[in-house]
């Protein structure tokens, strides 16, 4: 592109240069934020499931596929021909989700695997089962989450519950599935973040909110950790030659079970949320950034996709704003190391 700018010197081309240079500036600032070598171009704003390339033969794991966005991810991927494994805690909810998917997509190849992301032995057991059962994994969608339980809870491993479920469980799952992902010719890992990251920070002195627990602060921290993880995974994939395309996505605000099962619809947050719920995305709309990241040929390594309207609460698909904290590659590397220590899990470059 730079060579063409130097040699093409007509007036039309010169005005074209200016807009191209301006666009390049925007793209490079996004790229620098994530440390990826590629400039990022925004997706087609009206991209939808009809634009998804056939996924026949591709194998996906969707965490939290029993409701909300994860369910919609699983359904859309199955409709495009993919083999989909839904992983969540409750087998009955799993069976119900599969039944609902099959009503709309009778030929869906979808199955359920039980996992509790807030119990690292359960995460490791799932990864072990998948390594035995699957020839490879083409896409991992780190989607499951809980939001702002009013009281501080702890996971089986003693971690704060949101940090454990939303972030640390997915960190370990990705590490444990790395050998299976590396058997794919084009593996992708999509990690869900949130507009809440703009209020988030990583408190390295109290990562587990043991000294002070703010339900929304802990949620924002966990989702910021997810975003930093997605970018750091891409950087490490490039350095280590893992061949993974790591991409982050967020849904805007979507009507799902997240509030009901977190702070509750009767909480102050829930009441405010309920007042505006007609203006939010459906779960199917909220799933589009993830589905784009997981399947679009143009989805770029190290990018962050989400809706672009109303401070990214809803609207057409595009590149999401990256908060300064998520651009801090040093902090991301530190968080990675700390998480390895806390979880006793390292990403190994071994394929088997
Ligand atoms: N909804 C929004 O407006 C919004 C906004 C920003 C970001 N997000 C993000 O979008 C993603 C999807 O959320 P959603 O809104 O679709 O929520 P949801 O409807 O509540 O779905 C959450 C899913 O996570 C699973 N899950 C929860 N805890 C788990 C655990 N310990 N182990 C395994 N699975 C677990 C649940 O399954 P079981 O209960 O069956 O285990 C469920 O399938 C999350 O990452 C969330 O942070 C949502």
């Amino acid at each position: 592109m730079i060579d063409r700018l130097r040699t093409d010197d007509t007036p039309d081309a010169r005005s074209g240069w200016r807009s191209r240079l301006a666009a390049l500036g925007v793209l490079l600032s996004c790229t620098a934020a994530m440390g990826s070598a590629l400039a990022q171009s925004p997706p087609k704003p009206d991209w939808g499931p009809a634009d998804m390339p056939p996924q026949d033969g591709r194998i996906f794991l969707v965490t939290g596929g029993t409701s909300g966005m994860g369910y919609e991810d699983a359904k859309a991927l199955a409709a495009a021909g993919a083999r989909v494994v839904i992983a969540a805690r409750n087998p009955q909810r799993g069976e119900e989700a599969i039944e609902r998917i099959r009503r709309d997509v009778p030929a869906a190849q979808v199955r359920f695997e039980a996992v509790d992301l807030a119990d690292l032995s359960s995460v490791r057991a799932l990864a072990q089962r998948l390594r035995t059962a699957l020839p490879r994994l083409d896409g991992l969608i780190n989607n499951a989450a809980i939001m702002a339980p009013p009281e501080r809870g702890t996971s089986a491993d003693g971690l704060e519950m949101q940090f454990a479920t939303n972030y640390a469980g997915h960190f370990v799952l990705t590490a444990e599935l790395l050998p299976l992902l590396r058997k794919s010719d084009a593996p992708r890992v999509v990690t869900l973040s949130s507009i809440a990251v703009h209020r988030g920070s990583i408190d390295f002195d109290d990562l587990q909110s043991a000294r002070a627990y703010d339900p929304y602060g802990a949620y924002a921290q966990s989702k910021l950790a997810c975003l930093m993880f997605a970018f750091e995974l891409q950087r490490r994939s490039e350095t280590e030659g893992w061949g993974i395309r790591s991409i982050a996505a967020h849904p805007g605000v979507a009507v799902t079970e997240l509030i009901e099962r977190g702070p509750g619809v009767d909480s102050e947050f829930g009441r405010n949320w309920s007042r505006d719920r007609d203006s939010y995305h459906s779960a199917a709309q909220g799933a589009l950034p993830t589905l784009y990241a997981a399947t679009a040929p143009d989805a770029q390594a190290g990018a962050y996709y989400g809706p672009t309207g109303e401070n990214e609460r809803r609207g057409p698909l595009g590149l999401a704003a990256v908060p300064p904290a998520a651009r801090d590659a040093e902090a991301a590397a530190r968080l990675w190391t700390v998480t390895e220590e806390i979880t006793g899990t390292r990403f190994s470059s071994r394929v088997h």
Side-chain angles (χ1 to χ4, degrees), residues 64 66-67 69 89 93 116-117 143 219 223 252 254 256 261:
T66 51
S67 63
M69 260 75 71
R89 287 168 298 187
R93 277 168 55 88
D116 182 355
L117 285 156
N143 163 82
Y219 179 70
K223 289 279 125 181
T256 67
R261 304 176 91 202

Side-chain angles (χ1 to χ4, degrees), residues 6 18 34 185 191 216 229 268 308 314:
R6 281 201 195 109
R18 276 191 290 276
M34 294 154 212
D185 56 4
T191 302
Y216 301 97
F229 166 70
E268 190 187 342
T308 53
R314 60 181 181 154

Side-chain angles (χ1 to χ4, degrees), residues 140-142 189-193 226-227 229-230 233 246-250:
L140 166 61
I141 302 187
N142 287 327
V189 175
V190 182
T191 302
L192 267 286
S193 188
C226 287
L227 187 55
F229 166 70
L233 178 61
S246 172
I247 308 177
H250 81 85

Side-chain angles (χ1 to χ4, degrees), residues 40-305:
Q40 290 167 352
S41 49
K44 193 163 86 75
D46 60 350
W47 189 92
D51 296 304
M52 197 190 293
Q55 297 296 309
D56 304 82
R58 288 181 66 76
I59 308 173
F60 286 85
L61 172 63
V62 182
T63 67
T66 51
S67 63
M69 260 75 71
Y71 169 80
E72 297 294 340
D73 296 338
K75 186 165 89 173
L77 290 167
R83 278 169 69 184
V84 183
V85 179
I86 287 175
R89 287 168 298 187
N90 185 326
Q92 193 180 331
R93 277 168 55 88
E95 284 316 308
E96 286 163 9
I98 289 172
E99 249 180 66
R100 277 193 290 146
I101 289 175
R102 292 225 168 99
R103 249 178 264 148
D104 289 341
V105 186
Q109 297 180 71
V110 55
R111 70 171 224 241
F112 176 81
E113 286 286 342
V115 70
D116 182 355
L117 285 156
D119 178 348
L120 296 180
S121 66
S122 166
V123 173
R124 291 191 181 101
L126 168 67
Q128 174 62 50
R129 294 199 299 280
L130 295 179
R131 286 198 303 264
T132 307
L134 299 179
R136 64 178 188 285
L137 187 62
D138 299 297
L140 166 61
I141 302 187
N142 287 327
N143 163 82
I146 53 168
M147 180 188 163
E151 305 297 328
R152 179 180 183 272
T154 49
S155 71
D157 311 277
L159 307 177
E160 187 279 319
M161 204 52 131
Q162 297 181 81
F163 183 92
T165 307
N166 306 356
Y167 167 63
H170 285 124
F171 181 96
V172 172
L173 184 64
T174 309
E176 294 276 336
L177 289 176
L178 188 60
L180 208 52
L181 285 160
R182 293 187 66 199
K183 289 182 180 171
S184 166
D185 56 4
R188 297 193 192 190
V189 175
V190 182
T191 302
L192 267 286
S193 188
S194 165
I195 51 174
V197 293
H198 295 283
R199 295 188 304 273
S201 59
I202 305 291
D203 184 353
F204 282 104
D205 294 330
D206 189 19
L207 266 184
Q208 306 309 326
S209 310
R211 276 186 230 145
Y213 177 67
D214 163 18
Y216 301 97
Y219 179 70
Q221 173 177 259
S222 73
K223 289 279 125 181
L224 176 59
C226 287
L227 187 55
M228 291 164 79
F229 166 70
F231 296 159
E232 184 65 13
L233 178 61
Q234 181 55 37
R235 285 189 284 267
R236 290 186 187 230
S237 177
E238 285 168 18
T239 314
E240 301 290 329
W242 293 335
I244 286 174
R245 226 189 284 191
S246 172
I247 308 177
H250 81 85
V253 181
V255 179
T256 67
E257 298 181 12
L258 198 66
I259 307 298
E260 197 181 315
R261 304 176 91 202
V265 281
D266 294 333
S267 64
E268 190 187 342
F269 184 96
R271 285 196 301 276
N272 289 336
W273 181 86
S274 300
R275 223 182 19 236
D276 294 332
R277 64 178 282 158
D278 290 347
S279 69
Y280 301 145
H281 274 161
S282 65
Q285 288 168 315
L288 292 178
T290 298
L291 290 169
Y292 179 85
T295 66
D298 292 341
Q300 289 173 350
Y304 181 30
Y305 296 108

